[in-house]
Amino acid sequence: MACSFGGGLGRLREVCGTVSGAAFVLGMACGYSDPKDSQAKMAHYHLIQRFAQLYREENGSIICRELLAGCPVKPGADPETRTPEYYKKRPCADLVWHAARLVDMLLDEQDSKSTHEATL
C-alpha cells in the first residue's frame, strides 16, 4: 500500500516517503472516520503538522529533493538500482529512523493523553 511513497512519491522528489509513511501510520493509529467530525479532523491535522514540524527541525525539510541535496541523482522517472553503494550515498535509512522515532514518540503522547482524559 505504501510502495508509491518512495522517491518522494513515485520518484517525483516531493514529500519524502518517510513523511508520507509516517502520516499513513498516524492516520491508521490516530485518525478519524467521520469526515463531518471537525474536531477530530482538526486534532488529527494538528498531529500531522506537529510531526512535520519536528521532522523539519531534525532534518531541515520534508521534501525529498531537499533532503537529497548533494546526493547524485539520476534524472528521469525510472528508479535507480538499489545496491549497498547506492544507499551509502543517501540519507534514506537515517531518515526512516528519524520518522519512526517521531511516530513512536507521538503515539506515546497520544496514549498518555488518552489515558489522562479517561481518568478525568
Side-chain angles (χ1 to χ4, degrees):
M1 286 174 46
C3 65
S4 302
F5 296 161
L9 190 62
R11 205 161 191 273
L12 291 169
R13 303 289 188 238
E14 296 295 335
V15 174
C16 174
T18 65
V19 174
S20 297
F24 186 80
V25 170
L26 290 168
M28 289 182 66
C30 308
Y32 57 93
S33 57
D34 181 359
K36 294 178 183 174
D37 184 347
S38 60
Q39 289 300 107
K41 183 185 256 187
M42 180 175 61
H44 188 68
Y45 284 8
H46 286 197
L47 176 65
I48 299 304
Q49 290 174 20
R50 178 143 185 262
F51 170 85
Q53 173 192 359
L54 293 169
Y55 191 92
R56 274 190 199 101
E57 288 172 3
E58 289 187 5
N59 301 294
S61 181
I62 64 169
I63 304 300
C64 177
R65 79 175 75 70
E66 294 171 3
L67 294 164
L68 293 179
C71 294
V73 177
K74 178 182 154 194
D78 296 338
E80 296 177 57
T81 303
R82 302 308 199 249
T83 64
E85 292 75 29
Y86 171 88
Y87 284 112
K88 284 180 186 176
K89 299 175 186 176
R90 298 210 162 24
C92 302
D94 191 46
L95 295 171
V96 169
W97 181 86
H98 281 271
R101 187 182 50 72
L102 289 172
V103 166
D104 187 51
M105 180 191 79
L106 292 171
L107 290 175
D108 283 348
E109 286 178 6
Q110 292 295 307
D111 285 344
S112 294
K113 183 178 173 184
S114 296
T115 302
H116 177 72
E117 289 172 356
T119 60
L120 294 179

Coordinates of all heavy atoms in Angstrom, one line a residue, residues 58-96:
E58 N 14.6 18.4 12.7 CA 15.7 17.4 12.8 C 16.4 17.3 11.5 O 17.6 17.0 11.5 CB 15.1 16.1 13.2 CG 14.7 16.0 14.7 CD 14.3 14.6 15.1 OE1 14.5 13.7 14.3 OE2 13.9 14.5 16.3
N59 N 15.7 17.4 10.4 CA 16.3 17.1 9.1 C 16.4 18.2 8.1 O 16.9 18.0 7.0 CB 15.5 15.9 8.5 CG 15.5 14.7 9.4 OD1 16.5 14.1 9.6 ND2 14.3 14.4 9.9
G60 N 15.8 19.3 8.4 CA 15.9 20.5 7.5 C 14.8 20.7 6.5 O 14.6 21.7 6.0
S61 N 14.0 19.6 6.3 CA 13.0 19.7 5.3 C 12.1 18.4 5.3 O 12.5 17.4 6.0 CB 13.6 19.7 3.9 OG 12.6 19.8 2.9
I62 N 11.0 18.4 4.7 CA 10.2 17.2 4.5 C 10.2 16.9 3.0 O 9.5 15.9 2.6 CB 8.7 17.3 5.0 CG1 7.9 18.4 4.3 CG2 8.7 17.6 6.5 CD1 6.4 18.4 4.6
I63 N 10.9 17.6 2.2 CA 10.9 17.4 0.7 C 12.1 16.6 0.3 O 13.2 16.9 0.6 CB 10.9 18.8 0.0 CG1 9.8 19.7 0.4 CG2 11.0 18.7 -1.5 CD1 8.4 19.1 0.2
C64 N 11.8 15.5 -0.4 CA 12.8 14.6 -0.9 C 14.0 15.2 -1.5 O 15.2 15.0 -1.2 CB 12.2 13.5 -1.8 SG 13.3 12.3 -2.5
R65 N 13.8 16.1 -2.6 CA 14.9 16.7 -3.3 C 15.8 17.5 -2.4 O 17.0 17.6 -2.6 CB 14.4 17.4 -4.5 CG 13.8 18.8 -4.3 CD 13.4 19.5 -5.6 NE 12.2 19.1 -6.2 CZ 11.0 19.3 -5.7 NH1 10.8 19.8 -4.6 NH2 10.0 18.8 -6.4
E66 N 15.2 18.2 -1.4 CA 16.0 19.0 -0.5 C 16.8 18.1 0.5 O 17.9 18.4 0.8 CB 15.0 19.9 0.3 CG 14.4 21.0 -0.6 CD 13.3 21.8 0.0 OE1 13.1 21.6 1.2 OE2 12.7 22.6 -0.7
L67 N 16.2 17.0 0.9 CA 16.9 16.1 1.8 C 18.0 15.4 1.1 O 19.0 15.0 1.7 CB 15.9 15.0 2.3 CG 14.8 15.6 3.3 CD1 13.7 14.6 3.5 CD2 15.4 16.0 4.6
L68 N 17.9 15.2 -0.3 CA 18.9 14.5 -1.1 C 19.9 15.5 -1.7 O 20.7 15.1 -2.5 CB 18.3 13.7 -2.2 CG 17.5 12.5 -1.7 CD1 16.9 11.7 -2.9 CD2 18.3 11.5 -0.8
A69 N 19.8 16.8 -1.3 CA 20.7 17.8 -1.9 C 22.1 17.3 -1.7 O 22.5 16.9 -0.6 CB 20.5 19.1 -1.2
G70 N 22.9 17.3 -2.8 CA 24.3 16.9 -2.7 C 24.5 15.4 -3.0 O 25.6 15.0 -3.2
C71 N 23.4 14.7 -3.1 CA 23.5 13.3 -3.5 C 23.4 13.2 -5.0 O 22.5 13.9 -5.6 CB 22.4 12.4 -2.9 SG 22.4 12.3 -1.1
P72 N 24.1 12.3 -5.6 CA 24.0 12.1 -7.0 C 22.6 11.5 -7.3 O 22.2 10.5 -6.7 CB 25.1 11.2 -7.4 CG 25.5 10.5 -6.2 CD 25.1 11.4 -5.0
V73 N 21.9 12.1 -8.2 CA 20.5 11.6 -8.6 C 20.5 11.5 -10.1 O 20.7 12.5 -10.8 CB 19.4 12.6 -8.1 CG1 18.1 12.1 -8.5 CG2 19.5 12.7 -6.6
K74 N 20.2 10.3 -10.6 CA 20.0 10.0 -12.0 C 18.7 10.7 -12.4 O 17.6 10.5 -11.8 CB 19.9 8.5 -12.2 CG 19.7 8.1 -13.6 CD 19.6 6.6 -13.7 CE 18.8 6.2 -14.9 NZ 18.5 4.7 -14.8
P75 N 18.7 11.5 -13.5 CA 17.5 12.2 -13.9 C 16.5 11.1 -14.5 O 16.9 10.0 -14.9 CB 17.9 13.1 -15.0 CG 19.3 12.7 -15.4 CD 19.9 11.9 -14.3
G76 N 15.2 11.5 -14.6 CA 14.2 10.7 -15.2 C 13.3 10.0 -14.2 O 13.5 10.2 -12.9
A77 N 12.4 9.3 -14.7 CA 11.3 8.7 -13.8 C 11.7 7.3 -13.4 O 11.0 6.7 -12.5 CB 10.0 8.7 -14.6
D78 N 12.6 6.6 -14.0 CA 13.0 5.3 -13.7 C 13.8 5.2 -12.4 O 14.7 5.9 -12.1 CB 13.8 4.6 -14.8 CG 13.0 4.5 -16.1 OD1 11.7 4.6 -16.0 OD2 13.6 4.4 -17.1
P79 N 13.4 4.2 -11.5 CA 14.1 4.1 -10.2 C 15.6 3.6 -10.5 O 15.8 2.9 -11.5 CB 13.3 3.0 -9.5 CG 12.5 2.3 -10.5 CD 12.3 3.3 -11.6
E80 N 16.5 4.0 -9.7 CA 17.9 3.6 -9.8 C 18.0 2.2 -9.1 O 17.2 1.8 -8.2 CB 18.8 4.6 -9.1 CG 18.8 5.9 -9.8 CD 19.6 7.0 -9.1 OE1 20.8 6.7 -9.0 OE2 19.1 8.0 -8.7
T81 N 19.0 1.5 -9.5 CA 19.3 0.2 -9.0 C 19.7 0.3 -7.5 O 20.5 1.1 -7.2 CB 20.4 -0.6 -9.7 OG1 20.0 -0.7 -11.1 CG2 20.6 -2.0 -9.2
R82 N 19.0 -0.4 -6.6 CA 19.3 -0.3 -5.2 C 20.5 -1.3 -4.9 O 20.3 -2.5 -4.9 CB 18.1 -0.7 -4.3 CG 16.9 0.2 -4.6 CD 17.2 1.7 -4.5 NE 16.1 2.5 -4.3 CZ 15.6 3.4 -5.2 NH1 16.1 3.5 -6.4 NH2 14.5 4.1 -4.9
T83 N 21.6 -0.7 -4.5 CA 22.8 -1.5 -4.1 C 23.3 -1.0 -2.8 O 22.9 0.2 -2.4 CB 23.9 -1.4 -5.2 OG1 24.3 0.0 -5.2 CG2 23.4 -1.8 -6.6
P84 N 24.2 -1.7 -2.2 CA 24.8 -1.1 -0.9 C 25.5 0.2 -1.2 O 25.4 1.1 -0.4 CB 25.8 -2.2 -0.5 CG 25.2 -3.5 -1.0 CD 24.6 -3.1 -2.3
E85 N 26.1 0.4 -2.4 CA 26.8 1.6 -2.7 C 25.7 2.8 -2.9 O 26.0 3.9 -2.5 CB 27.6 1.5 -4.0 CG 28.8 0.6 -3.9 CD 28.4 -0.9 -3.8 OE1 27.4 -1.3 -4.4 OE2 29.2 -1.7 -3.2
Y86 N 24.6 2.4 -3.5 CA 23.5 3.4 -3.7 C 23.1 4.0 -2.3 O 23.0 5.2 -2.1 CB 22.4 2.8 -4.4 CG 21.1 3.6 -4.4 CD1 20.9 4.5 -5.4 CD2 20.1 3.5 -3.4 CE1 19.7 5.3 -5.5 CE2 19.0 4.3 -3.5 CZ 18.8 5.1 -4.5 OH 17.6 5.9 -4.5
Y87 N 22.9 3.1 -1.3 CA 22.4 3.5 0.0 C 23.5 4.2 0.8 O 23.2 5.0 1.7 CB 21.8 2.4 0.8 CG 20.4 2.0 0.2 CD1 20.2 0.8 -0.4 CD2 19.4 2.9 0.4 CE1 18.9 0.5 -0.9 CE2 18.1 2.6 -0.1 CZ 17.9 1.4 -0.7 OH 16.6 1.1 -1.2
K88 N 24.8 3.9 0.5 CA 25.8 4.6 1.2 C 25.9 6.1 0.9 O 26.3 6.9 1.7 CB 27.2 4.0 0.9 CG 27.5 2.7 1.6 CD 28.8 2.2 1.2 CE 29.0 0.8 1.7 NZ 30.3 0.2 1.3
K89 N 25.3 6.5 -0.3 CA 25.3 7.9 -0.7 C 24.1 8.6 -0.3 O 23.9 9.8 -0.6 CB 25.4 7.9 -2.3 CG 26.7 7.3 -2.8 CD 26.7 7.3 -4.3 CE 27.9 6.5 -4.9 NZ 27.8 6.4 -6.3
R90 N 23.1 7.9 0.3 CA 21.8 8.6 0.6 C 21.5 8.5 2.1 O 21.9 7.6 2.8 CB 20.7 7.8 -0.2 CG 20.9 7.9 -1.6 CD 19.7 7.9 -2.4 NE 19.6 8.4 -3.7 CZ 20.6 8.5 -4.6 NH1 21.8 8.2 -4.3 NH2 20.4 8.9 -5.8
P91 N 20.8 9.5 2.6 CA 20.4 9.6 4.0 C 19.1 8.8 4.3 O 18.6 8.9 5.4 CB 20.2 11.1 4.2 CG 19.7 11.6 2.9 CD 20.5 10.8 1.9
C92 N 18.6 8.1 3.3 CA 17.3 7.5 3.5 C 17.1 6.6 4.7 O 16.1 6.7 5.4 CB 16.9 6.7 2.2 SG 16.9 7.8 0.7
A93 N 18.0 5.7 5.0 CA 17.9 4.8 6.1 C 17.8 5.6 7.4 O 17.0 5.4 8.3 CB 19.0 3.8 6.2
D94 N 18.6 6.7 7.5 CA 18.6 7.5 8.7 C 17.3 8.3 8.8 O 16.8 8.5 9.9 CB 19.8 8.5 8.6 CG 20.1 9.2 9.9 OD1 20.0 8.6 11.0 OD2 20.3 10.5 9.9
L95 N 16.8 8.7 7.7 CA 15.5 9.5 7.7 C 14.4 8.6 8.1 O 13.4 9.0 8.8 CB 15.3 10.1 6.3 CG 16.2 11.1 5.9 CD1 16.0 11.5 4.4 CD2 16.2 12.4 6.8
V96 N 14.4 7.3 7.7 CA 13.4 6.3 8.2 C 13.5 6.2 9.7 O 12.4 6.2 10.3 CB 13.6 5.0 7.5 CG1 12.7 3.9 8.1 CG2 13.3 5.0 6.0

